[in-house]
Amino acid sequence: MATYVQIDPTQKLDPFKAVKKIPLEEYFTSGHRTCQGCESALVMKMMAKAAGPRTIVLGSTGCMYVANTTYYSTSWVLPWMHTQLGSSGSAALGASAALKVLMRKGKMKQEPINVIAFCGDGGGADMGVGAISATLTHPDYNCLILMYDNESYANTDIQLSGSTPWGANTTFSTPGKVKRIMHRRWKKNMAGMMAAGHPTCRYVATVCMSYGLAAMNSMRKALAIGGPTFIHSLDPCPKGWDYDPYISHELGELAVNTGIWPLYEVEDGVLKLTGRTQQIAAKKIQRQPVRDYLLRQGRFAHFTNDDIDYFQSKIDEMWEKWLVPGVIPFRTDVEADAPPA
């Protein structure tokens, strides 16, 4: 049976079986100017290591552009190109299409080359969501869009984004005497939107570099499966979240273990909770209270016990009432309206 989708071969990227099996070669090296304890820099390092040398990286404006390139220098060993703030999807699609044409015309050697476009939550979940969505509807171009999410526009002094948690203190939502909670929106469910809204996208996942081996294997699977793919990474940010850089790794673990950041993958339409999230869902381990996570960060220092209880209630609702926690916010049964008082 003929097919209208013509996917070029991808690299064979088997999962790493253990930390000791990860190659020693580095493709994102010293020289960057990220903040101490920056988890987004760790994402770049492990993303490049997971992809390997035959890779092109496209970086949207944001922390990981500004901090990783200085005048006449860069920490990227891989071929790298800067793209505009909301254009990660367009850049990924354009680069993938260009490689396909050049190889078809014989101007380049026929070989699978990884194309990765990364963006922050501001450039991805806000300004770039349309371009990312458009790219995920083109099934015959191989590329990975990776959104590193530090839950603010951290490059331009911590303004709130569509990924900023409810109530967080940012330069655009500073708590005051009259209004303590200035930011009242709930965090945008970016990976869930991409998975639900793009049925031909073969792979969507959430990751956290506090669980680095699993995150790298998700990246390898996304690059090897064929077609456009999307990964959403939660990245603790010492500057924006206001904490000691020493505990970056611990905060990533707490985000997962409190249930605030569920880990999952959607492969060829099949949803699978992964890692600690799968264990929580299976009742093998208990979720930690969100208080353990919130009170480690200065951006929530203005929270009262009532604020923490409200935040906990929203996370409980996600786990107890959503069709799938962290992914699908629909409910299996319509709740009866409360009787009038």
Side-chain angles (χ1 to χ4, degrees):
M1 181 177 176
T3 177
Y4 290 102
V5 179
Q6 300 177 353
I7 302 178
D8 290 339
T10 60
Q11 294 184 27
K12 182 176 173 56
L13 298 171
D14 294 325
F16 297 126
K17 299 296 184 183
V19 172
K20 291 184 178 180
K21 301 295 183 181
I22 297 174
L24 296 177
E25 291 82 7
E26 299 287 355
Y27 305 106
F28 178 83
T29 62
S30 59
H32 56 82
R33 296 176 293 123
T34 59
C35 304
Q36 185 182 20
C38 175
E39 286 288 291
S40 296
L42 184 60
V43 170
M44 299 297 110
K45 175 186 176 75
M46 296 306 183
M47 175 189 78
K49 189 183 282 283
R54 302 305 291 163
T55 300
I56 295 173
V57 178
L58 311 161
S60 295
T61 300
C63 287
M64 293 301 101
Y65 155 58
V66 173
N68 297 328
T69 54
T70 340
Y71 187 62
Y72 280 153
S73 69
T74 180
S75 50
W76 290 105
V77 177
L78 302 172
W80 176 90
M81 183 177 76
H82 170 227
T83 69
Q84 294 304 306
L85 186 52
S87 68
S88 57
S90 308
L93 187 64
S96 301
L99 289 174
K100 180 176 268 194
V101 169
L102 289 170
M103 290 178 189
R104 187 178 71 236
K105 291 184 174 182
K107 296 182 181 294
M108 283 183 67
K109 174 185 173 183
Q110 279 280 354
E111 65 168 317
I113 296 176
N114 298 321
V115 174
I116 303 175
F118 66 76
C119 54
D121 47 295
D126 287 352
M127 283 183 260
V129 67
I132 293 172
S133 175
T135 297
L136 296 184
T137 63
H138 288 273
D140 42 1
Y141 295 99
N142 299 328
C143 55
L144 165 63
I145 300 169
L146 186 144
M147 189 176 89
Y148 64 94
D149 180 5
N150 50 31
E151 299 188 325
S152 70
Y153 287 83
N155 175 50
T156 50
D157 203 24
I158 323 297
Q159 293 89 358
L160 66 85
S161 76
S163 284
T164 303
W166 179 89
N169 182 1
T170 72
T171 51
F172 279 12
S173 59
T174 306
K177 293 181 179 179
V178 177
K179 282 192 175 182
R180 187 183 67 261
I181 302 298
M182 294 297 293
H183 175 50
R184 297 180 175 274
R185 296 178 293 169
W186 202 251
K187 182 182 173 80
K188 190 180 291 187
N189 188 358
M190 182 66 176
M193 287 194 296
M194 298 301 103
H198 304 86
T200 58
C201 177
R202 298 189 62 195
Y203 190 78
V204 173
T206 59
V207 301
C208 178
M209 270 303 160
S210 294
Y211 300 94
L213 185 64
M216 292 176 74
N217 284 337
S218 287
M219 295 171 186
R220 288 172 73 83
K221 184 181 290 188
L223 290 167
I225 199 170
T229 54
F230 179 79
I231 289 179
H232 186 170
S233 172
L234 180 71
D235 301 0
C237 170
K239 180 183 177 184
W241 297 14
D242 190 11
Y243 63 82
D244 189 323
Y246 182 78
I247 66 168
S248 284
H249 204 73
E250 183 181 346
L251 277 177
E253 292 179 339
L254 280 170
V256 174
N257 292 333
T258 56
I260 290 173
W261 183 248
L263 300 175
Y264 63 88
E265 62 181 15
V266 182
E267 181 179 353
D268 287 328
V270 178
L271 170 66
K272 178 185 176 184
L273 300 179
T274 59
R276 302 285 287 183
T277 299
Q278 190 278 330
Q279 293 178 305
I280 293 172
K283 309 294 186 184
K284 293 180 180 178
I285 59 174
Q286 286 188 330
R287 280 186 289 124
Q288 292 179 240
V290 299
R291 177 183 295 269
D292 296 350
Y293 174 76
L294 299 177
L295 294 186
R296 303 296 294 275
Q297 306 168 56
R299 61 176 176 163
F300 300 115
H302 57 290
F303 272 22
T304 65
N305 286 331
D306 286 344
D307 299 329
I308 294 173
D309 290 343
Y310 173 73
F311 205 109
Q312 182 71 67
S313 73
K314 295 290 286 184
I315 301 303
D316 291 344
E317 178 183 306
M318 179 176 75
W319 278 89
E320 295 165 8
K321 296 182 179 180
W322 283 27
L323 197 59
V324 181
V327 191
I328 305 174
F330 306 132
R331 301 177 184 180
T332 53
D333 297 310
V334 178
E335 294 182 356
D337 293 332

